[in-house]
Amino acid sequence: MNSRLLNRLAISLIVACAVVMVGTLAALLGYILYQGVSQISWSFLTSDSSAFQAGGGIKNQLWNSFYILFITMLLTVPLGTAGGIYLAEYAKQTRFTAFIRSCVEVLASLPSIVVGMFGLLVFVNYFNWEYSILSGAVALTVFNLPVIVRVTENALCSVSEEQRAAGLALGMTQWHTIKKVFLPAAFPGILTGVILCAGRVFGESAALLFTAGLSSPNLDFTNWNPLSANSPLNLFRSAETLSVHIWSVNSVGIIPDAKEVAAGAAAVLVISVLTFNLVARLLGRIVEKKMTGK
Amino acid sequence: MSPLCPVYTIKSRKGVCKMAFKGQQDSLSLASKTGGRLIREGFSFKNILQKNGELRGKIIILTSAFFIIAATMAITLFLTLQGLRAFTVDGINIIDFITGTEWQPNRDGNPSYGALPFIFGSFAVTVLAALVAAPIGIASALFMTEIARKWGQKALQPVIEILVGIPSVVYGLIGLSVIVPFIRSQTGGLGFGLLAGAIVVGIMILPTVTSIAADAIKSVPDDLRHASYALGATKWQTIYKVIIPAALPSLLTAVVLGMARAFGEALAVQMVIGNARGIPDSLVDPAATLTTIITLSMGHTTSGSVLNDVLWSLGLILLVMSYVFILIIRYLSKRRKLS
Amino acid sequence: MIAQLKEKPVRSAQHQSEKQSIVLGINGVNVYYGNNHAVKNVSMPIHDRSITALIGPSGCGKSTFLRTINRMNDLIPGAACDGEIMYDGINLLNRKIDVVTLRKEIGMVFQRPNPFPKSIYENIVLSLKFAGIRGKKVLNGIVEESLKQAALWDEVKDRLDQSALSLSGGQQQRLCIARALALKPKVLLLDEPSSALDPVSSAKIEDLLLTLKEQYTIVIVTHNMQQASRIADSTAFFYEGEVVEYNDTTMMFTCPANKRTEDYISGRFG
């Protein structure tokens, strides 16, 4: 075949693939939002879910999703950034570091359902936390730690090596240099990474099935005593999140309006994740601009 | 000339030096008092403060390192111990388990635990998903890096990032409400099956494959491209003969990483695969994977029962496979460094 | 020339004594990177309130030697050294030296400007705060003083809160010098401070160093022989890790004692 013709054909094919990809995203978002947004109403967002009747809402699931997200980030961010600092700044090319790197790699590639099983065995059964917010959040921490570690490490590595010499030559200790120079400089990168990671945690489901559970007590939003059984703040109650709810109404649920509830919940989920994405980019850009003065 | 002849070696970049002294040791005490401020003292208040800053930092950091190691070890250890119980405690033959095709855990008197249908299902979904994602992903990466360098990146990067962010249950829901009915209308069957699973998971891993492939292609040096164009090659010839071979190990890494994700995906697959118990006859027959059977059965078993142990064995297979994927990726990256 | 080294390093009374008092008495310093013997038996005096230039072809060990003086080489894994650098009566290569305090007294400026990605003001006060200097008035005073010393004050006094990265390369380098001066060091080490800058900024740095010489002891590594001849009082020529010749700059450039020095200075190699 004529090489010019082949060239044109191949390139058209490549362009077509790119179009398929963009088209997939457009179709996906379009479908979810088109199907779902009409389901979203004030009462859908603010009423309890129902076990077998039509007309249930997603109030508790929505709250649970945010609460688990909050607890998870509370645990993951300090641990993850510290791990990232260690790998980027203190440890270079020793056997111990190589081992930690391997561990990060293994944790990052574990299927989330395996993490869920581990959570079931250790947190739910062995520690006897039962199906609870805490079990779920700790399982998600295990799952997300490597992501934050990598985010931090990459952000720190992009800060120039010369800054380190500068800090030390000015008679500061290494920790002080990291704290006052490296971390602030890497902050936009870490922030963006953390928020994107939050989006992932928000949508995570498989690891939560066996740890946070498939049900949620009807929460009493006037009761903020964290020790009371149906308080929204209670760490030791079971908590079905939004994404688990979408799965459960479709797979194991019996409510007649499963399709509508799932569509509405999916739309809320996707809108939240998109918001995380948008906020991450905007914040990252704003902070970056402020710091470099450009 | 001072008799002092110190030799010091620096162990690491932590700023800690270990020195071996030859000759006279304590000429420091003879040192002038004026330079005394430069000498590290054991118990000066300032010293302790400074040291503590450094120490505190190290403690925080090492806690995290410890946690990462502990979590990895614990998961590996617990899953292995639990996963082997079926063979060591319950006396199931490991060969029968892996090659058996009958999954009848609740059959009275003669339960049978053949995991082959699930193992087959997992591999089938993974390979098919890679077949869906690899061509589209690599082509999109080529589009971003070779064809529309200026705006391709700007246009596709956000698409990739949003696709990565969409939760897997949403992909499952789309599969359930769009892809399954579509297959049903085309083939007349149920619509649930390997094909639906592969399409859903294929789309899911598409952004992973694309972004890693794009990085791989970007790292091919421009010199190679210029050399090829200078010889009169067309764009496609350059891509096919120069860029793809040069980036091949990294492109394979991209596909393998996608497959690793596909292998472990649970809920999205469960929603569209049909959850049968046997090996499917065709792509559109209902099937099951390791993850789907765990998803569905784990909650109904009591800890310590045979079924529970067997499910842990399936989990162990998932774990082993994720190690295998890591080894493959390492092998590929070693090849990348060599070439 | 080596004769001067025979005299015992004298404890210098800073900023008071006559010019010839020795601040750093360097005696038989060796630096190794693993098996690579990077600096071989270097000896020379560094005089108070003078500029000493270290010249030589790339890879001759002059930067390594400079970094040994304030122990920045500690950061490089596998680096080791012996010999003595007598400063204020003690050997800086000693194990018990508190490198953090040492680096406050012997400051360093690097080849490429490396301000912190923070405001101009923050760049200067960061190390001061770590050194325990408090109080807004005191800090403001030091910032102004050191920026003036670095001839940068007039250019930045209205935008101290702006990011240091918004400055030009030459301004950034002067900020780095100001930052080092803020700690009131005794010695300032400069590692090719103007090689990354344009000729105008470079000239400004040279003028600045000549002014700073009145108060500080300066050791500068440079590739640029014209620069060395313009500003340095004494010059040491490094070749393959050794000091081939150390002399008064004028002497060195007019009648070099060593053939290799002559070849290098006249541009026959390097």
Side-chain angles (χ1 to χ4, degrees):
Chain A
M1 207 195 306
N2 183 326
S3 75
R4 200 176 291 171
L5 192 67
L6 183 69
N7 184 41
R8 200 170 278 175
L9 204 74
I11 287 181
S12 324
L13 208 64
I14 291 175
V15 173
C17 283
V19 170
V20 165
M21 181 141 149
V22 178
T24 308
L25 176 73
L28 228 139
L29 287 183
Y31 181 82
I32 289 287
L33 296 179
Y34 175 76
Q35 294 284 314
V37 168
S38 56
Q39 307 296 333
I40 301 175
S41 64
W42 186 242
S43 74
F44 180 67
L45 291 176
T46 56
S47 57
D48 290 336
S49 61
S50 98
F52 44 87
Q53 288 164 311
I58 56 166
K59 176 182 73 173
N60 298 335
Q61 283 75 15
L62 198 56
W63 166 261
N64 289 340
S65 283
F66 278 107
Y67 193 38
I68 286 192
L69 171 67
F70 175 73
I71 304 284
T72 305
M73 290 325 245
L74 206 63
L75 296 170
T76 318
V77 172
L79 273 174
T81 39
I85 293 172
Y86 181 74
L87 288 183
E89 300 297 315
Y90 278 88
K92 293 275 170 178
Q93 309 302 341
T94 61
R95 231 179 245 173
F96 183 60
T97 335
F99 181 60
I100 297 180
R101 268 178 222 282
S102 302
C103 286
V104 170
E105 199 181 351
V106 169
L107 281 187
S109 64
L110 283 179
S112 66
I113 191 141
V114 169
V115 177
M117 290 169 81
F118 172 72
L120 174 66
L121 183 71
V122 175
F123 309 132
V124 176
N125 290 337
Y126 187 73
F127 290 166
N128 212 7
W129 292 345
E130 316 255 297
Y131 287 136
S132 67
I133 300 253
L134 191 62
S135 302
V138 177
L140 286 184
T141 301
V142 170
F143 190 55
N144 276 289
L145 199 55
V147 184
I148 303 281
V149 167
R150 283 184 177 172
V151 161
T152 312
E153 194 189 350
N154 288 342
L156 283 173
C157 285
S158 68
V159 180
S160 119
E161 189 69 14
E162 289 155 358
Q163 307 281 351
R164 181 197 330 279
L168 293 170
L170 287 170
M172 298 194 285
T173 54
Q174 184 162 7
W175 175 244
H176 195 74
T177 312
I178 291 170
K179 209 167 60 176
K180 295 289 179 177
V181 180
F182 273 70
L183 277 184
F187 183 68
I190 297 176
L191 185 71
T192 311
V194 165
I195 300 177
L196 288 177
C197 180
R200 227 177 75 130
V201 173
F202 196 76
E204 179 51 43
S205 44
L208 289 175
L209 276 189
F210 310 138
T211 50
L214 278 172
S215 63
S216 180
N218 284 344
L219 299 179
D220 175 4
F221 279 86
T222 54
N223 179 357
W224 293 97
N225 173 8
L227 296 175
S228 126
N230 61 350
S231 156
L233 289 183
N234 189 340
L235 281 177
F236 289 97
R237 62 178 172 81
S238 69
E240 185 189 42
T241 65
L242 203 52
S243 34
V244 174
H245 189 58
I246 295 174
W247 175 79
S248 71
V249 295
N250 275 301
S251 290
V252 293
I254 46 168
I255 50 173
D257 58 346
K259 224 176 156 185
E260 286 75 19
V261 171
V268 173
L269 195 60
V270 166
I271 291 170
S272 312
V273 171
L274 286 181
T275 314
F276 278 118
N277 208 308
L278 208 67
V279 169
R281 288 157 171 282
L282 281 179
L283 262 182
R285 212 169 291 166
I286 291 169
V287 176
E288 178 108 50
K289 211 178 240 176
K290 216 171 172 188
M291 292 196 18
T292 53
K294 279 172 194 155
Chain B
M1 277 284 173
S2 157
L4 186 67
C5 179
V7 174
Y8 72 85
T9 356
I10 294 108
K11 279 284 180 219
S12 71
R13 53 187 317 155
K14 294 170 192 170
V16 180
C17 322
K18 297 220 167 114
M19 300 193 199
F21 279 82
K22 292 180 202 154
Q24 217 168 321
Q25 286 278 328
D26 56 353
S27 64
L28 269 182
S29 53
L30 306 171
S32 104
K33 290 281 187 293
T34 51
R37 69 189 176 283
L38 287 173
I39 302 199
R40 250 183 312 195
E41 288 159 52
F43 292 104
S44 114
F45 182 60
K46 193 181 87 190
N47 247 335
I48 287 173
L49 263 185
Q50 260 180 19
K51 254 198 190 145
N52 272 357
E54 193 77 17
L55 199 69
R56 199 168 48 226
K58 269 185 197 150
I59 289 174
I60 296 173
I61 278 166
L62 283 173
T63 310
S64 161
F66 170 78
F67 191 85
I68 290 169
I69 294 174
T72 316
M73 303 291 267
I75 289 179
T76 310
L77 205 70
F78 279 119
L79 249 99
T80 311
L81 288 180
Q82 282 284 323
L84 291 177
R85 266 178 65 96
F87 314 118
T88 56
V89 177
D90 307 319
I92 293 171
N93 185 320
I94 190 162
I95 306 290
D96 291 348
F97 173 70
I98 291 176
T99 57
T101 53
E102 245 189 312
W103 180 262
Q104 297 289 357
N106 299 323
R107 195 163 58 190
D108 283 337
N110 181 24
S112 158
Y113 303 97
L116 189 63
F118 311 125
I119 299 174
F120 171 81
S122 281
F123 277 98
V125 167
T126 305
V127 171
L128 290 173
L131 287 181
V132 173
I136 302 181
I138 293 175
S140 301
L142 284 169
F143 178 80
M144 281 162 75
T145 51
E146 297 297 316
I147 296 189
R149 263 195 164 176
K150 278 185 192 134
W151 56 273
Q153 177 89 22
K154 264 186 200 155
L156 283 188
Q157 195 64 38
V159 172
I160 291 175
E161 279 172 24
I162 295 174
L163 278 176
V164 167
I166 291 179
S168 61
V169 282
V170 174
Y171 283 105
L173 186 65
I174 295 276
L176 189 64
S177 45
V178 180
I179 295 170
V180 170
F182 178 76
I183 295 175
R184 187 184 302 145
S185 72
Q186 295 298 310
T187 64
L190 282 170
F192 292 99
L194 289 179
L195 185 62
I199 294 174
V200 166
V201 178
I203 296 173
M204 265 184 71
I205 65 173
L206 188 56
T208 314
V209 176
T210 311
S211 66
I212 301 171
D215 287 342
I217 297 168
K218 257 184 263 167
S219 67
V220 174
D222 264 345
D223 296 350
L224 288 181
R225 293 185 182 91
H226 296 163
S228 170
Y229 288 132
L231 291 171
T234 61
K235 200 157 227 173
W236 170 244
Q237 281 169 334
T238 307
I239 290 173
Y240 182 69
K241 292 265 166 70
V242 177
I243 301 202
I244 291 187
L248 193 63
S250 311
L251 292 178
L252 287 177
T253 306
V255 176
V256 173
L257 273 171
M259 288 170 78
R261 217 186 138 193
F263 200 85
E265 178 48 42
L267 301 193
V269 182
Q270 190 277 328
M271 287 163 91
V272 297
I273 203 157
N275 306 302
R277 285 178 174 180
I279 294 181
D281 295 326
S282 76
L283 284 181
V284 291
D285 263 0
T289 69
L290 294 168
T291 51
T292 62
I293 190 71
I294 295 172
T295 307
L296 286 179
S297 311
M298 198 75 182
H300 308 305
T301 60
T302 45
S303 171
S305 67
V306 180
L307 178 56
N308 186 273
D309 290 345
V310 170
L311 290 175
W312 278 100
S313 306
L314 297 178
L316 179 59
I317 296 178
L318 286 175
L319 181 78
V320 169
M321 276 313 291
S322 76
Y323 273 96
V324 169
F325 282 119
I326 289 176
L327 288 181
I328 296 176
I329 289 163
R330 291 230 165 148
Y331 170 74
L332 287 173
S333 80
K334 220 174 253 170
R335 259 188 56 191
R336 189 167 56 214
K337 272 175 206 144
L338 288 179
S339 63
Chain C
M1 72 263 173
I2 304 284
Q4 281 160 313
L5 300 171
K6 289 270 156 44
E7 79 184 63
K8 226 176 165 187
V10 190
R11 205 181 309 145
S12 68
Q14 295 294 320
H15 303 304
Q16 307 164 14
S17 67
E18 77 286 356
K19 277 226 157 177
Q20 281 308 302
S21 72
I22 293 172
V23 178
L24 293 165
I26 294 146
N27 233 330
V29 168
N30 288 290
V31 183
Y32 312 85
Y33 292 135
N35 290 328
N36 178 15
H37 197 170
V39 173
K40 297 168 190 160
N41 196 25
V42 167
S43 303
M44 70 168 83
I46 305 285
H47 295 291
D48 187 23
R49 278 175 275 174
S50 70
I51 298 179
T52 306
L54 312 180
I55 60 169
S58 322
C60 65
K62 54 193 192 308
S63 287
T64 303
F65 172 67
L66 190 78
R67 291 166 66 90
T68 311
I69 297 177
N70 73 341
R71 298 269 298 262
M72 289 298 284
N73 273 348
D74 286 18
L75 304 175
I76 297 166
C81 60
D82 56 37
E84 65 174 24
I85 299 179
M86 296 306 290
Y87 167 78
D88 217 356
I90 56 169
N91 185 356
L92 295 183
L93 299 185
N94 198 293
R95 167 175 56 105
K96 288 189 184 160
I97 292 293
D98 177 9
V99 289
V100 170
T101 314
L102 165 67
R103 290 174 189 149
K104 276 177 206 152
E105 295 191 18
I106 302 186
M108 188 162 202
V109 175
F110 298 85
Q111 181 169 6
R112 285 187 18 175
N114 54 357
F116 301 130
K118 292 171 163 285
S119 73
I120 297 169
Y121 182 84
E122 275 288 314
N123 257 282
I124 296 177
V125 299
L126 195 61
S127 57
L128 294 174
K129 282 184 182 160
F130 181 72
I133 300 170
R134 296 286 134 96
K136 208 152 176 59
K137 262 190 194 154
V138 183
L139 289 174
N140 287 346
I142 300 178
V143 168
E144 182 173 346
E145 188 193 334
S146 48
L147 283 172
K148 275 181 177 159
Q149 277 186 329
L152 192 60
W153 176 250
D154 292 331
E155 291 161 59
V156 301
K157 65 182 175 203
D158 301 322
R159 46 175 180 146
L160 290 176
D161 57 341
Q162 276 184 24
S163 167
L165 299 180
S166 64
L167 298 173
S168 74
Q171 289 173 323
Q172 288 189 6
Q173 192 62 301
R174 273 179 285 150
L175 176 63
C176 291
I177 295 176
R179 187 170 70 173
L181 293 179
L183 286 163
K184 305 232 174 350
K186 304 276 190 307
V187 182
L188 196 57
L189 309 174
L190 301 115
D191 190 354
E192 302 189 30
S194 57
S195 68
L197 304 178
D198 60 274
V200 179
S201 309
S202 182
K204 272 190 187 163
I205 302 263
E206 284 180 23
D207 290 344
L208 171 61
L209 293 180
L210 287 172
T211 335
L212 291 176
K213 189 176 92 169
E214 305 298 321
Q215 292 176 58
Y216 301 92
T217 303
I218 293 170
V219 184
I220 178 171
V221 164
T222 177
H223 256 117
N224 181 336
M225 278 170 291
Q226 283 73 36
Q227 187 172 58
S229 66
R230 277 193 300 264
I231 62 173
D233 298 300
S234 350
T235 302
F237 172 56
F238 274 71
Y239 186 69
E240 290 186 342
E242 289 174 78
V243 174
V244 173
E245 187 164 349
Y246 168 86
N247 211 335
D248 180 80
T249 303
T250 337
M251 288 295 287
M252 169 97 100
F253 279 88
T254 48
C255 46
N258 188 295
K259 181 78 174 64
R260 278 179 298 182
T261 318
E262 192 184 341
D263 286 350
Y264 181 72
I265 291 173
S266 54
R268 248 166 264 166
F269 78 96

